[in-house]
């Protein structure tokens, strides 16, 4: 009998697979020994032993419980909630998902709403914690100090915007975190970013806030940021890994909801990577607080873009939702730059899957908000607009160009979110940090972004010119026909 090859297996109807190697070695070894046997039967045995599990089917969305802790109060909010509900209904069809919850500050944002919580059995969905892994808030109590001095000091040491610190101004995470990164196959490639992005805050809605604790008058610093480029690179690797499982397990599931089974080497390594990134982010917050250069009397923090496990096979994916069970004695809920930051104690509410809001979400996109501002405040300067919507607040933008999409009116009504936290039984408000001022990124001057915008503007102008030309041509044609 001639030697059997992979082409023979394919000609017998098998799809190329990893088991080919062992099957061919077994078959050809028997041939060399002169055994009398049917090689196709051996191939069948290997195929059966390595046959992939049957595809999992999508679930009926009505069979999966979703708790909606949100009440719309105007047309914008109703439209917002309708989109959130539709997104959640589609998401819970994924076969490993067991429950969902929606927070009072929820807003639509792709695969999972901001303010959405998903529980999955033995599964980690990278797309449900998003690229901003471990986006979180941290409070440092500085005691009886001058808040202006604190904000002035902070203005000198913060780093906002894209990219990291240059080599002369970098800070080093703990040796423990770096060693764990070196030993994790998802993170060992990103050590340079782990140094350069450490103690930086990015852009968008990330901030440094200074205010006074209502209960004592102590001045506190609150920082808001995630794991920066380290986390976004981990997210990308996680999505690629999860996609490999999605096509094998449930190709009908949305790509954004792909998952990594925890009981695999991939799942365990990815979970370990998440814990390392969480520790890196916590140290990053604390380093920023230390750099202000004043003694810290008290310090605590919590994540709101993360995956949580409470000792069983259920993994809770929070996208813009704050954990509220016994492991978190105090949690932090920012509302907007002109409102107090709430210090809460969660009630581990079943209707929230143990979570509470992470703040006051948006009812519309940044673009739509700014369009409405252009229409209604066209005769005002940016700084006049800031004074209107954040009166008495020392608002600073790192790049000196205000980002009006971060004004208080860009977010849900703070009083409404605060009331919902209590009325839905999600948490108790135990203290507040009343605002003095804050620092945000603002609009960064990015050459490539400016070039892209210039190209878009040029294309828009050409389209308008073409439309105008067509209108003139039609008008002339009508005139000639008369």
């Amino acid at each position: 009998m001639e030697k059997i090859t992979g082409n023979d297996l394919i000609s017998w109807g098998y799809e190329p697979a990893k088991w080919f190697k062992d099957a061919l070695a077994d078959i050809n070894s028997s041939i060399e020994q002169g055994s009398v046997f049917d090689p196709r039967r051996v191939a069948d045995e290997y195929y059966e032993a390595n046959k992939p599990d049957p595809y999992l089917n999508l679930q009926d969305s009505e069979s999966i419980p979703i708790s909606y802790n949100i009440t719309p109060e105007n047309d914008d909010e109703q439209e917002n909630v309708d989109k959130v509900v539709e997104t959640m209904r589609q998401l819970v069809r994924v076969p490993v998902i067991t429950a969902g919850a929606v927070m009072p500050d929820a807003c639509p944002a792709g695969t999972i709403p901001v303010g959405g919580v998903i529980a999955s059995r033995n599964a980690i969905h990278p797309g449900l914690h998003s690229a901003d892994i471990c986006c979180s808030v941290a409070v440092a109590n500085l005691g009886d100090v001058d808040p202006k001095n604190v904000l002035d000091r902070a203005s000198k040491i913060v780093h906002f915007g894209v990219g990291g610190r240059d080599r002369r101004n970098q800070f080093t995470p703990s040796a423990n975190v770096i060693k764990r990164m070196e030993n994790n196959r998802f993170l060992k490639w990103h050590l340079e970013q782990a140094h350069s992005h450490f103690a930086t805050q990015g852009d968008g809605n990330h901030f440094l806030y200074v205010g006074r604790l209502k209960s004592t008058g102590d001045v506190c610093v609150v920082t808001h940021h995630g794991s920066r480029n380290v986390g976004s690179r981990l997210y990308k690797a996680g999505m690629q890994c999860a996609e490999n499982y999605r096509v094998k397990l449930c190709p009908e599931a949305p790509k954004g909801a792909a998952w990594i089974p925890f009981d695999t080497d991939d799942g365990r390594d990815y979970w370990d990577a998440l814990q390392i990134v969480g520790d890196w982010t916590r140290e990053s917050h604390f380093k920023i607080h230390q750099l202000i250069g004043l003694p810290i009397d008290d310090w605590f923090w919590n994540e709101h873009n993360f995956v949580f496990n409470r000792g069983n096979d259920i993994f809770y994916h929070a996208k813009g939702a704050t954990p509220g069970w016994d492991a978190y004695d105090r949690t932090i809920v920012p509302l907007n730059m002109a409102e107090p930051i709430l210090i809460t104690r969660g009630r581990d509410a079943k209707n929230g899957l143990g979570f509470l809001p992470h703040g006051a979400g948006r009812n519309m996109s940044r673009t739509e908000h700014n369009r409405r501002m252009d229409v209604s405040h066209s005769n005002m300067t940016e700084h006049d607009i800031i004074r209107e919507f954040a009166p008495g607040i020392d608002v600073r933008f790192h790049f000196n160009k205000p980002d009006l999409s971060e004004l208080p009116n860009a977010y849900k009504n703070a009083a409404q979110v605060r009331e919902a936290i209590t009325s839905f039984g999600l948490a108790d408000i135990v203290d507040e940090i009343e605002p003095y001022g804050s620092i945000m990124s603002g609009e960064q001057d990015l050459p490539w972004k400016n070039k892209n915008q210039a190209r878009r503007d040029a294309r828009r102008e050409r389209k308008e010119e073409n439309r105008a030309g067509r209108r003139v041509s039609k008008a002339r044609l009508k005139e000639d026909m008369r």
Side-chain angles (χ1 to χ4, degrees), residues 37 48 71 92 150 164 166 191 222 232 300 331 344 412 465:
F37 70 104
E48 289 296 328
T71 305
V92 298
V150 173
D166 60 52
L191 296 176
V222 183
S232 66
F300 60 99
T331 46
T344 61
K412 292 178 183 289
E465 290 172 359

Side-chain angles (χ1 to χ4, degrees), residues 268-380:
R268 287 183 287 270
D269 288 346
Y270 192 75
W271 174 254
D272 183 52
L274 288 175
Q275 309 319 300
I276 297 168
V277 164
D279 289 344
W280 182 95
T281 307
R282 176 178 52 80
E283 290 184 6
S284 180
H285 280 285
F286 192 46
K287 186 63 179 181
I288 294 171
H289 296 173
Q290 287 180 315
L291 290 172
I292 293 172
L294 295 171
I296 296 174
D297 293 343
D298 184 24
W299 195 89
F300 60 99
W301 86 308
N302 67 262
E303 321 90 315
H304 53 241
N305 271 22
F306 207 55
V307 185
F308 303 83
N309 178 265
R310 301 179 65 178
N312 52 27
D313 64 347
I314 300 297
F315 291 82
Y316 297 90
H317 301 72
K319 177 66 170 71
T322 300
W325 52 88
D326 292 346
Y328 294 84
D329 178 57
R330 293 170 294 176
T331 46
I332 310 155
V333 182
L335 297 171
N336 64 60
M337 64 175 66
E339 293 286 339
I341 289 177
L342 308 179
I343 307 300
T344 61
R345 183 167 291 118
R347 294 184 181 177
D348 198 5
K350 290 184 179 180
N351 53 298
L353 295 180
F355 291 80
L356 57 139
H358 84 308
R362 295 175 179 272
N363 278 324
M364 64 192 77
S365 68
R366 294 173 185 271
T367 302
E368 175 60 18
H369 169 266
N370 288 348
R371 185 192 70 77
R372 295 188 187 187
M373 293 294 290
D374 288 343
V375 171
S376 61
H377 292 75
S378 58
N379 61 335
M380 295 175 63

